[in-house]
Amino acid sequence: MYKIVIDRSLCSGFGSCAELAPEVFEVDPGGLVSLRVGTSDDASVLEAAAACPMGAIQVVEERAA
Amino acid sequence: MNVRTVAIVGAGLAGARTAETLRAEGFDGDVVLVGEEPIAPYERPALSKEYLAGTRDEQSLLLRPPSFWDERGIELLLGERVLRIDAPAGVLQTERGLERPFDAVVVATGARPRRLPQRLPRGVHELRTLADARALRAELAPGIRLVVVGGGLVGAEVASTASGLGARVMLIEAASAPLVRALGRDAGLLLAERWRSHGIDVRLGAPLDSLREGEEGRIDAVVLADGSVVPADVVLIGIGVEPARELLDDRAGTNLFTAGDVTGAGHWTAAALDGAAAARRILRLPVPAAQPAYVWSDQFGLRLQVVGRPADGAAAEVEGSDDSFAVRYRGRDGVVHAAVFANRPADAAELRRSLLDDRLALAA
């Protein structure tokens, strides 16, 4: 399970994350990215974090309790 | 070049992103990030906005939690000014006499404010670093008279924040329109109207003559070129920045890279992309296509987004209302190359994508 945090002050609305993992990230009406869900099992969130030009996405892997 | 040690000079966004990207791409050699300010990489754009307004504190400005750098084996060497870089010899030297060897060095020293060629009375500020912002913040209070010299983005943001805090603000600009380089003339003039409607006394075509000193060496008034004297309690000088290029001399070798404002490209988003690109160059990985220029600013209730580079002379098309407008600059070829959007994030995103697609098509 991955826990995802977006730093909205760094986000510049490139939207690469929403293209790579649309079920997790969306570009909101304000032009910045917001999360549809806070956690995900899908490793595409790692790609999305790596692809963010601003480094605005942090992903932490959490072990299931 | 077998790179085992990378030194990054400058711990702003570009330097930070260089270090992070090296690690993200699997580099396992030594990485040292040397910064002149005694603070870990932080979010500079907030200095003229939330930090100055008092709605965010210093801790919240940090780009990464303090443990982040340690966890990735990135050494932060803070409060150290680098005096010399000898790229061919692979060594740098700090003011305090530290020497650091490197195989590759990234100069990400950023930019610094242009300065007036006179001694500055107390109460006259510039705004680039956290220390600058702290000093300015301590002087802003309801009812004080603030004169902003220079109608650039930083000046406009400070004017906005200060007037929100209850200061009486005058902004003087030497040119006949503010923000011409950043926004183009048409958008600049629209913005000047916005400032006026928010109570800012905007003087265009009003070059500064001098700063008049009063008692105890403190600012007393600002004198304009036409001879008028404007009483002032606090002054912000916001007449632009210049790249901090001192460390880039002719001894630069093939192991020296640059990133961020020092290249003259300017602006926050570009610095992040540039830092990541520098890291990829060091590791000899492909560098992604350059993004269209992008700048944003928050002022007087507007989120401004500038996409592309507004060029002088391009035909401007203005549409919208006071609180949400677009100024599009169309070139002779009939294509929109740049635009300024106010509270129009979706339009800004769309133009950004289409300019990027054009670039990719050209590159293909």
Side-chain angles (χ1 to χ4, degrees):
Chain A
M1 183 68 81
Y2 301 104
K3 184 169 182 284
I4 310 136
V5 181
I6 298 177
D7 185 338
R8 301 245 309 172
S9 55
L10 272 178
C11 176
S12 293
F14 284 92
S16 331
C17 54
E19 279 169 31
L20 289 164
E23 67 290 349
V24 177
F25 304 96
E26 65 179 333
V27 179
D28 67 25
L32 299 184
V33 167
S34 52
L35 288 172
R36 293 176 189 273
V37 291
T39 58
S40 169
D41 286 320
D42 193 337
S44 66
V45 299
L46 295 175
E47 276 176 59
C52 175
M54 299 302 289
I57 303 168
Q58 301 290 307
V59 176
V60 185
E61 192 167 359
E62 287 187 334
R63 294 275 162 82
Chain B
M1 179 174 64
N2 186 16
V3 177
R4 296 304 310 152
T5 301
V6 179
I8 302 161
V9 181
L13 180 63
R17 291 292 294 151
T18 306
E20 290 179 29
T21 307
L22 284 170
R23 287 297 184 235
E25 294 294 349
F27 178 70
D28 63 358
D30 293 336
V31 178
V32 59
L33 187 54
V34 191
E36 202 170 314
E37 292 179 68
I39 178 173
Y42 66 93
E43 211 184 295
R44 208 179 286 286
L47 293 181
S48 51
K49 311 178 187 85
E50 300 97 321
Y51 178 76
L52 198 59
T55 56
R56 283 180 64 187
D57 63 10
E58 296 184 9
Q59 206 58 33
S60 81
L61 298 182
L62 294 177
L63 285 177
R64 301 292 180 223
S67 60
F68 177 95
W69 307 104
D70 227 25
E71 283 162 16
R72 281 159 186 76
I74 296 167
E75 184 193 357
L76 296 184
L77 200 55
L78 303 174
E80 285 281 353
R81 197 160 82 90
V82 173
L83 278 188
R84 255 179 303 279
I85 296 176
D86 188 339
V91 67
L92 65 79
Q93 218 171 47
T94 74
E95 198 170 38
R96 290 198 289 191
L98 277 180
E99 288 205 348
R100 283 303 180 105
F102 59 78
D103 302 310
V105 64
V106 179
V107 178
T109 40
R112 70 169 55 89
R114 282 207 190 91
R115 302 215 161 115
L116 295 173
Q118 75 166 91
R119 204 179 63 83
L120 301 181
R122 288 192 305 115
V124 179
H125 297 261
E126 58 186 25
L127 180 51
R128 179 74 187 174
T129 65
L130 178 60
D132 295 339
R134 206 184 281 145
L136 178 59
R137 184 163 122 166
E139 294 212 295
L140 292 183
I144 63 133
R145 296 163 301 179
L146 168 71
V147 177
V148 175
V149 178
L153 287 174
V154 169
E157 290 180 351
V158 169
S160 173
T161 306
S163 93
L165 292 170
R168 287 180 282 161
V169 184
M170 176 187 279
L171 185 148
I172 66 170
E173 163 61 46
S176 58
L179 295 167
V180 172
R181 256 191 45 197
L183 306 190
R185 191 180 161 78
D186 295 79
L189 286 171
L190 266 181
L191 258 287
E193 280 318 303
R194 177 86 182 177
W195 301 342
R196 286 190 172 123
S197 72
H198 280 69
I200 308 299
D201 185 351
V202 181
R203 307 286 176 92
L204 302 177
L208 175 75
D209 174 76
S210 58
L211 302 169
R212 201 173 76 188
E213 204 170 302
E215 282 168 31
E216 291 172 17
R218 212 186 144 82
I219 184 75
D220 168 60
V222 169
V223 184
L224 306 185
D226 67 4
S228 46
V229 175
V230 182
D233 302 308
V234 181
V235 170
L236 175 82
I237 307 293
I239 52 177
V241 295
E242 51 199 17
R245 298 181 57 87
E246 300 76 23
L247 293 172
L248 297 174
D249 63 16
D250 49 3
R251 283 174 304 163
T254 53
N255 60 342
L256 184 146
F257 302 79
T258 55
D261 286 356
V262 71
T263 62
H267 301 300
W268 182 246
T269 306
L273 302 177
D274 228 23
R280 298 181 66 86
R281 278 192 195 96
I282 292 171
L283 302 174
R284 304 189 169 210
L285 295 168
V287 174
Q291 292 275 343
Y294 176 68
V295 178
W296 56 272
S297 169
D298 291 326
Q299 44 176 287
F300 301 105
L302 299 179
R303 151 115 343 172
L304 295 176
Q305 293 173 291
V306 189
V307 181
R309 296 187 187 281
D312 239 1
E317 293 163 17
V318 183
E319 54 118 345
S321 60
D322 286 355
D323 292 318
S324 161
F325 58 83
V327 180
R328 295 185 175 82
Y329 294 98
R330 205 176 284 280
R332 285 209 188 93
D333 54 4
V335 178
V336 174
H337 293 285
V340 179
F341 299 101
N343 295 346
R344 293 279 191 97
D347 289 353
E350 190 189 322
L351 179 61
R352 224 157 128 183
R353 263 194 307 276
S354 88
L355 291 179
L356 181 61
D357 290 345
D358 292 349
R359 279 177 191 221
L360 295 177
L362 280 175

